[in-house]
C-alpha cells in the first residue's frame, strides 16, 4: 500500500480496514449508502443500527474520533438546508417548544440529517483508510472507463501544484501592497483564476509533450492492483450486508 | 528549419552530428532555439509531428519518420526542465513505469525495469511516494529515472541543474557522469557544462554558431560576449579539471 504522511485524506494506521483492497471498500460503501437511502425515514431504530455498524468500522479502522468529527464539517451546508425544512415545508403543523413546525418538514429534516451523516461518515472511513492512488486503482479494477481514471489521476497529481500556483499569486499580489477591500479582493481572485486557468492550460500542454516523448499513444497504462479473493470480499462486505439486512427488515416492519 | 504555428521562425539551419557515447552541452542565451531544437530530436515538433519545418534527423541510424516515431522516442529520452511537467502519475513507481509500459512491458519485467531505473538515480526507497511529496532535487532525479527506464541511447536534458541547491546539483552530476549513454544537455550553468561535457554546441538566433571543446568555447571571451554568455564571478575555465575521460 502506498502511504507516506499526508497522502490525501489517508490516516495510516495499518488496520484490517486499511489492508482491504480498495475495490472491495468502494463496493461496500456503495451498498451501504444504497441500503441507508432506501430505508424509510420513520423507522428510527434502523438508523441507530447503521450508526452502530459505522462506529464499529471506525473502531476497527483505528481512526481517531476527533479526525472523523472534524471531517464531518463538509456536511454543514446540508445541515443548514435540513434545519430550514421544518420552517418552510407545508402540511399539518406540530408545536415544538412553542414554535409551529411542519411535521412533514421535521421528518424531512431528520431524513436528510440522518442519511447524510451516515453517508458522510461512511465516505470518511473509506477516504481515511485508502490512499488516493489505491482508490484510483480500485475504480480501475471496477472497470471505470480509463479516460475518467486518467482525469481523476491528473486531478490528484496536480491539485497541489495548482494550489501552490494560486498561493504564490496571492503572495505576489499582497507583497506589492494589494489591499482592495472585499470587492477588490474578489475581483483580484477572479482575475487570478483566469491567469491560473491559462497557466494550468499551458502546463497541460507541456505535460502532454512529456507524455508523448515517453511513447504515449492515447492509452494510459493500467495502475494495476491485485484482485481481491473471496475472503476479502466477504470481510469487506460484512457491514454492507448487515446494512442491507437492516434495510429489508425496516421495510418489512415499517410498513 | 522550423517555424512555430504563429509564424515565428525558431530554427534556421541547424546541422550537427553527435557520436555514440559523447557528452555534449547545448549552450546559448534565452530564446536561442535550444529547447525547440531538442523537441525535434524525438519528433515532438517538426514535420513528423504534423508541423512545419524541413530537414533531416537521424538517430542511431534510424531516420526520423512518422513510422519510426515509437522507436525514436524510445531511443531519445527527453527530460523536461520542470519535473512537475514530467511527473504526472500518482506515484513515483507509476510514473517510472509509464514509458516502459508504453513500450509494451508488463508484469515482473516492468517491475524490474522500474527498479533498475530508480536504483540508477538512487531513488529506490521512494517508489511508492507521490511526486508532490518529494523535494525538488528528488523530483528532478525521478524525472531522469522515468526516461532511463526506457533504456534510451540518447539522453537529452533541458537545464538539469536549474533550481537545484548545490548538493542536489552535485548529486545529479554524479548520476549523469555515471550513465553509459550519449548525453545532450541544455544549460546556462557553464561550470556544469565544463564538468560534464567535453564538447559544446553554442546556439544563437536559431543557428549553431560554435561547436568545439567546452573549455575552448568558455575560454573565448569574444565569442562568449557576442552571444550573451557569461562565466560566474571568479570562474576560470582553464584552471579547473573538466570531465574525466
Amino acid at each position: 500500500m502506498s502511504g507516506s504522511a499526508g497522502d490525501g485524506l489517508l490516516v495510516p494506521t495499518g488496520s484490517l480496514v486499511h489492508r482491504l483492497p480498495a475495490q472491495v471498500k468502494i463496493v461496500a460503501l456503495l451498498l451501504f449508502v444504497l441500503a441507508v437511502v432506501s430505508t424509510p425515514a420513520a423507522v428510527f431504530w434502523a438508523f441507530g443500527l447503521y450508526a452502530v455498524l459505522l462506529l464499529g468500522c471506525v473502531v476497527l479502522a483505528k481512526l481517531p474520533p476527533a479526525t472523523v468529527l472534524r471531517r464531518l464539517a463538509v456536511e454543514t451546508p446540508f445541515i443548514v438546508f435540513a434545519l430550514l425544512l421544518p420552517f418552510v415545508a407545508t402540511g399539518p403543523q406540530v408545536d415544538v417548544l412553542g414554535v409551529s413546525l411542519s411535521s412533514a418538514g421535521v421528518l424531512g429534516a431528520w431524513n436528510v440529517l440522518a442519511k447524510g451523516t451516515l453517508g458522510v461518515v461512511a465516505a470518511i472511513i473509506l477516504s481515511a483508510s485508502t490512499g488516493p492512488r489505491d482508490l484510483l486503482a480500485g475504480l480501475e479494477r471496477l472497470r471505470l472507463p480509463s479516460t475518467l481514471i486518467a482525469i481523476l489521476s491528473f486531478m490528484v497529481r496536480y491539485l497541489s501544484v495548482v494550489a501552490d500556483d494560486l498561493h504564490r499569486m496571492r503572495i505576489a499580489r499582497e507583497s506589492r501592497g494589494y489591499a482592495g477591500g472585499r470587492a477588490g479582493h474578489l475581483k483580484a481572485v477572479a482575475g487570478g483564476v483566469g491567469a491560473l486557468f491559462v497557466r494550468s492550460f499551458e502546463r497541460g500542454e507541456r505535460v502532454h509533450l512529456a507524455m508523448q516523448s515517453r511513447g504515449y499513444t492515447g492509452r494510459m497504462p493500467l495502475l494495476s492492483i491485485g484482485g481481491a479473493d473471496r475472503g476479502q470480499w466477504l470481510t469487506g462486505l460484512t457491514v454492507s450486508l448487515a446494512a442491507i439486512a437492516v434495510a429489508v427488515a425496516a421495510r418489512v416492519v415499517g410498513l | 528549419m522550423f517555424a512555430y504555428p504563429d509564424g515565428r521562425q525558431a530554427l534556421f539551419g541547424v546541422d550537427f552530428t553527435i557520436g555514440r557515447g559523447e557528452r555534449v552541452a547545448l549552450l546559448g542565451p534565452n530564446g536561442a532555439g535550444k529547447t525547440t531544437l531538442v523537441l525535434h530530436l524525438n519528433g515532438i515538433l517538426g514535420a513528423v509531428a504534423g508541423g512545419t519545418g524541413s530537414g533531416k534527423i537521424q538517430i542511431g541510424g534510424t531516420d526520423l519518420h512518422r513510422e519510426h516515431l515509437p522507436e525514436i522516442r524510445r531511443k531519445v529520452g527527453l527530460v523536461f526542465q520542470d519535473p512537475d511537467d514530467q511527473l504526472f502519475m500518482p506515484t513515483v513507481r507509476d510514473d517510472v513505469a509509464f514509458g516502459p509500459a508504453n513500450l509494451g512491458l508488463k508484469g515482473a519485467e516492468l517491475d524490474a525495469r522500474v527498479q533498475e531505473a530508480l536504483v540508477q538515480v538512487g531513488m529506490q526507497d521512494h517508489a511508492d511516494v507521490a511526486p508532490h511529496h518529494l523535494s525538488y532535487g528528488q523530483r528532478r532525479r525521478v524525472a531522469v529515472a522515468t526516461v532511463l527506464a526506457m533504456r534510451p541511447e540518447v539522453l537529452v536534458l533541458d537545464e538539469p541543474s536549474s533550481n537545484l541547491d548545490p548538493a542536489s546539483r552535485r548529486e545529479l552530476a554524479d548520476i549523469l557522469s555515471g550513465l553509459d549513454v550519449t548525453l545532450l544537455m541544455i544549460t546556462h550553468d557553464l561550470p556544469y557544462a565544463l564538468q560534464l561535457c567535453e564538447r559544446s554546441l553554442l546556439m544563437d538566433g536559431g543557428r549553431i554558431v560554435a561547436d568545439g571543446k567546452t573549455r575552448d568555447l568558455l575560454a573565448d571571451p569574444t565569442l562568449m560576449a557576442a552571444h550573451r554568455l557569461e562565466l560566474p564571478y571568479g570562474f576560470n575555465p582553464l584552471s579547473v579539471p573538466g570531465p574525466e575521460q
Side-chain angles (χ1 to χ4, degrees):
Chain A
M1 290 258 164
S2 63
S4 66
D7 195 0
L9 294 171
L10 182 70
V11 181
T13 64
S15 74
L16 172 73
V17 182
H18 286 71
R19 288 196 306 272
L20 279 175
Q23 63 268 34
V24 174
K25 286 186 270 188
I26 295 168
V27 172
L29 170 72
L30 189 69
L31 290 178
F32 180 83
V33 169
L34 284 178
V36 169
V37 296
S38 64
T39 308
V43 191
F44 300 114
W45 56 266
F47 294 97
L49 286 180
Y50 294 141
V52 170
L53 285 174
L54 280 185
L55 210 63
C57 290
V58 171
V59 172
L60 202 62
K62 299 178 189 156
L63 298 178
T67 311
V68 177
L69 287 177
R70 206 168 47 244
R71 289 184 185 175
L72 264 177
V74 295
E75 207 198 356
T76 315
F78 298 96
I79 295 180
V80 172
F81 174 70
L83 292 180
L84 274 177
L85 267 182
F87 297 99
V88 296
T90 53
Q93 304 283 306
V94 286
D95 271 348
V96 180
L97 302 173
V99 185
S100 171
L101 300 173
S102 151
S103 58
V106 172
L107 195 60
W110 157 253
N111 194 24
V112 171
L113 262 185
K115 292 181 179 178
T117 308
L118 289 169
V120 170
V121 171
I124 289 171
I125 295 172
L126 174 70
S127 61
S129 68
T130 320
R133 194 248 178 221
D134 289 327
L135 267 182
L136 290 172
L139 289 168
E140 180 183 273
R141 190 89 198 172
L142 294 170
R143 305 270 189 282
L144 193 73
S146 63
T147 313
L148 283 180
I149 299 280
I151 292 173
L152 286 173
S153 108
F154 283 128
M155 193 188 77
V156 167
R157 169 67 182 91
Y158 285 105
L159 203 59
S160 62
V161 175
V162 172
D164 281 352
D165 269 353
L166 195 62
H167 182 66
R168 276 197 299 272
M169 284 157 70
R170 188 177 63 81
I171 294 204
R173 203 163 56 230
E174 286 176 2
S175 63
R176 277 178 283 164
Y178 185 81
R182 185 178 285 263
H185 255 297
L186 263 178
K187 203 172 139 194
V189 167
V193 167
L196 197 65
F197 173 77
V198 174
R199 278 190 191 207
S200 303
F201 187 81
E202 286 174 350
R203 183 179 295 280
E205 286 192 325
R206 292 199 303 274
V207 171
H208 186 237
L209 289 184
M211 291 170 73
Q212 278 188 320
S213 72
R214 281 197 275 153
Y216 177 68
T217 49
R219 274 183 59 87
M220 291 295 280
L222 294 178
L223 290 167
S224 73
I225 179 178
D229 59 34
R230 190 187 294 263
Q232 286 172 319
W233 276 110
L234 274 178
T235 318
L237 295 184
T238 311
V239 171
S240 309
L241 294 177
I244 290 172
V246 172
V248 170
R251 279 268 162 198
V252 173
V253 178
L255 282 175
Chain B
M1 304 256 250
F2 172 77
Y4 277 102
D6 61 6
R8 185 165 50 92
Q9 190 165 349
L11 297 180
F12 301 82
V14 175
D15 195 3
F16 63 94
T17 308
I18 295 178
R20 192 176 289 266
E22 243 187 312
R23 292 168 189 276
V24 181
L26 184 54
L27 313 175
N30 285 335
K34 306 183 296 294
T35 302
T36 307
L37 172 61
V38 301
L39 286 175
H40 277 77
L41 297 182
N42 65 353
I44 295 290
L45 289 180
V48 274
T52 60
S54 58
K56 188 178 151 203
I57 296 172
Q58 204 181 47
I59 308 284
T62 312
D63 278 329
L64 182 56
H65 278 311
R66 187 169 279 279
E67 63 267 29
H68 296 149
L69 267 188
E71 173 67 6
I72 293 285
R73 286 181 182 166
R74 187 196 66 74
K75 282 186 172 179
V76 182
L78 224 59
V79 181
F80 287 73
Q81 187 177 354
D82 184 349
D84 279 333
D85 294 343
Q86 183 108 21
L87 307 176
F88 46 81
M89 297 290 278
T91 67
V92 167
R93 183 191 305 281
D94 293 323
D95 219 298
V96 177
F98 180 84
N102 284 330
L103 297 177
L105 265 64
K106 41 174 98 69
E109 202 185 353
L110 181 61
D111 292 344
R113 186 68 78 88
V114 169
Q115 182 66 15
E116 170 194 297
L118 286 175
V119 168
Q120 278 181 291
V121 300
M123 289 295 291
Q124 62 275 25
D125 295 335
H126 298 79
D128 290 318
V129 177
H132 55 270
H133 290 142
L134 297 174
S135 75
Y136 199 84
Q138 290 175 321
R139 269 182 276 169
R140 179 67 54 70
R141 273 150 66 189
V142 173
V144 173
T146 63
V147 168
L148 290 179
M150 301 177 76
R151 295 212 182 128
E153 292 174 18
V154 186
L155 185 62
V156 182
L157 301 129
D158 195 347
E159 301 205 24
S161 65
S162 65
N163 292 328
L164 294 187
D165 59 34
S168 306
R169 177 179 174 277
R170 197 238 334 126
E171 284 162 6
L172 187 66
D174 291 345
I175 291 164
L176 293 178
S177 58
L179 296 175
D180 181 26
V181 287
T182 309
L183 195 83
L184 179 66
M185 177 174 101
I186 295 182
T187 190
H188 290 300
D189 185 345
L190 301 177
Y192 215 54
L194 181 56
Q195 181 187 351
L196 288 168
C197 304
E198 173 80 355
R199 175 183 164 199
S200 284
L201 300 170
L202 173 52
M203 253 187 113
D204 197 2
R207 288 189 178 80
I208 301 260
V209 292
D211 178 353
K213 282 193 186 310
T214 307
R215 197 187 300 273
D216 296 345
L217 259 56
L218 298 193
D220 182 345
T222 336
L223 177 74
M224 297 277 285
H227 301 291
R228 290 184 60 80
L229 290 185
E230 283 177 22
L231 292 166
Y233 177 76
F235 182 78
N236 179 358
L238 299 176
S239 69
V240 293
E244 300 153 20
Q245 284 303 297

